[in-house]
Amino acid sequence: MRNAEAAGTDDCPVKIKLVAPPLYVLTMQTLDKEQGIATLNKAITACTETIEQHKGKLTVEEAPRAVSEGEDKQLAEHMARLRLDNEEFSGDEDSEEEEEEEYTGLGDADVDAVTEITE
């Protein structure tokens, strides 16, 4: 993710937001639509290369695109709902016995990363 942020420039800074593991959103604000989309594509490439070097996988859910202020607000609301859905509530906890069995090793760790890209 740091490599994706590093792909940004002073005119087009790339920001990464965690929606709910493993879903991330890359965003930026710029007046030059083409430069912004090119910078986001460069950030995606940098992030993909780094993740694949560590035997991971990045899936782009949506290609970079320009959005209006209304769409940006809808995205923020959607991200807030996903965060709330991801929070633990009372009763979510496992018993100590189950935790011991469940966390004795890495087992079948899922290393897939899903990313949604927007501007």
Side-chain angles (χ1 to χ4, degrees):
M1 296 299 168
R2 288 184 188 131
N3 288 345
E5 286 180 330
T9 64
D10 289 339
D11 295 333
C12 295
V14 175
K15 296 180 183 174
I16 300 174
K17 297 178 184 177
L18 171 64
V19 177
L23 183 61
Y24 294 86
V25 175
L26 275 66
T27 62
M28 72 169 8
Q29 291 184 354
T30 183
L31 298 176
D32 186 340
K33 177 181 171 181
E34 286 77 27
Q35 181 185 13
I37 290 173
T39 302
L40 283 174
N41 280 322
K42 183 179 171 185
I44 293 168
T45 300
C47 193
T48 301
E49 289 172 356
T50 303
I51 289 172
E52 288 177 352
Q53 286 175 356
H54 292 90
K55 310 253 189 267
K57 180 181 175 189
L58 182 136
T59 303
V60 177
E61 291 286 322
E62 187 176 331
R65 64 183 174 92
V67 296
S68 67
E69 188 175 333
E71 290 174 312
D72 198 34
K73 286 180 183 176
Q74 288 176 342
L75 174 63
E77 290 170 3
H78 180 67
M79 289 173 57
R81 279 193 305 272
L82 287 172
R83 276 191 210 104
L84 283 174
D85 291 345
N86 195 46
E87 287 181 6
E88 287 190 26
F89 295 97
S90 117
D92 284 349
E93 302 86 19
D94 293 332
S95 70
E96 287 184 30
E97 273 183 29
E98 291 175 10
E99 285 183 21
E100 286 177 21
E101 289 177 22
E102 203 169 358
Y103 300 108
T104 56
L106 290 178
D108 296 327
D110 184 8
V111 294
D112 289 346
V114 178
T115 306
E116 179 177 328
I117 308 299
T118 186
E119 177 182 76

